[in-house]
Every structure is written in structure tokens, then in C-alpha cells.
Amino acid sequence: DVDAAKKYLREDYIQHNPGVPQGRDGFIEAFRKKFAAVPAFYLDVKRILVDGDMAAVHIHATGLPGQNESVVVDIYRLQDGLLAEHWDCLMPIPKEMLGNNIYF
């Protein structure tokens, strides 16, 4: 339910991912299109770390066509109890690893 973002994001939400537009409405529209185009796309939150007005979310992303699974770390700045700003880092998980699943 991407419209739930209205409860959690500031209207003037600042986005540092170049593939997502600025603002809450831009976020909602981008993810509405993503989930419609890729219904198998899924983000499994593994842990959330909070320090003052900053939060980091460690995620296991699956379901993107033609791609292996990915590790994602989203970093948010909160303001007035809402998400105000966002940065992210993504790393594909190799299909073959020398050790066990070291990412989660």
C-alpha cells in the first residue's frame, strides 16, 4: 500500500536516490509504478538501527527480474516524527559464495 507513505513521509521528503523523484508524492508515484511493473518485488527488513534523528534499515531485496537478490541499506533522517530525508546503498548478492550467507 504505497499510499501509506502519506502517514510516514513529510510532504517535502528529500530523496538522494537519483532514480526516485523528490517529495512524498514523487516517492508514492515511483513505487506505485515499481510494484505494478514488478509484483514479485519484496523488501524483507532484517534490522533497524536508530541514533537520534537518524535511522538505518538493513534489507534483503528479492523479486527483481533478471537480477539476483540484493542487500540494501536505507538511511533516513527523521523530523517531527516523519521520514524527512533518504539515502541508500545497494549491493547484489553473488549467486555463489565461498562462505555461508554473510549478509544477514
Side-chain angles (χ1 to χ4, degrees):
D1 179 12
V2 294
D3 287 316
K6 293 175 184 175
K7 295 189 295 189
Y8 303 106
L9 274 66
R10 289 178 50 92
E11 191 173 340
D12 61 349
Y13 180 71
I14 300 167
Q15 178 62 257
H16 294 282
N17 181 318
V20 180
Q22 295 298 315
R24 180 178 62 203
D25 290 341
F27 173 93
I28 290 170
E29 186 58 29
F31 279 89
R32 185 181 320 282
K33 288 178 183 176
K34 178 158 203 108
F35 286 116
V38 188
F41 178 59
Y42 184 75
L43 301 171
D44 182 16
V45 174
K46 296 299 186 179
R47 58 194 50 84
I48 300 173
L49 307 165
V50 178
D51 183 20
D53 67 347
M54 302 296 290
V57 184
H58 186 209
I59 297 170
H60 183 190
T62 59
L64 291 170
Q67 295 184 19
N68 202 23
E69 302 170 38
S70 295
V71 177
V72 180
V73 176
D74 285 307
I75 301 170
Y76 297 96
R77 181 179 61 81
L78 290 91
Q79 183 179 339
D80 302 323
L82 297 172
L83 300 174
E85 194 166 4
H86 169 260
W87 301 260
D88 58 12
C89 300
L90 294 87
M91 180 176 63
I93 297 173
K95 290 185 188 241
E96 294 183 30
M97 292 186 270
L98 297 176
N100 61 359
N101 184 348
I102 59 175
Y103 298 106
F104 307 106

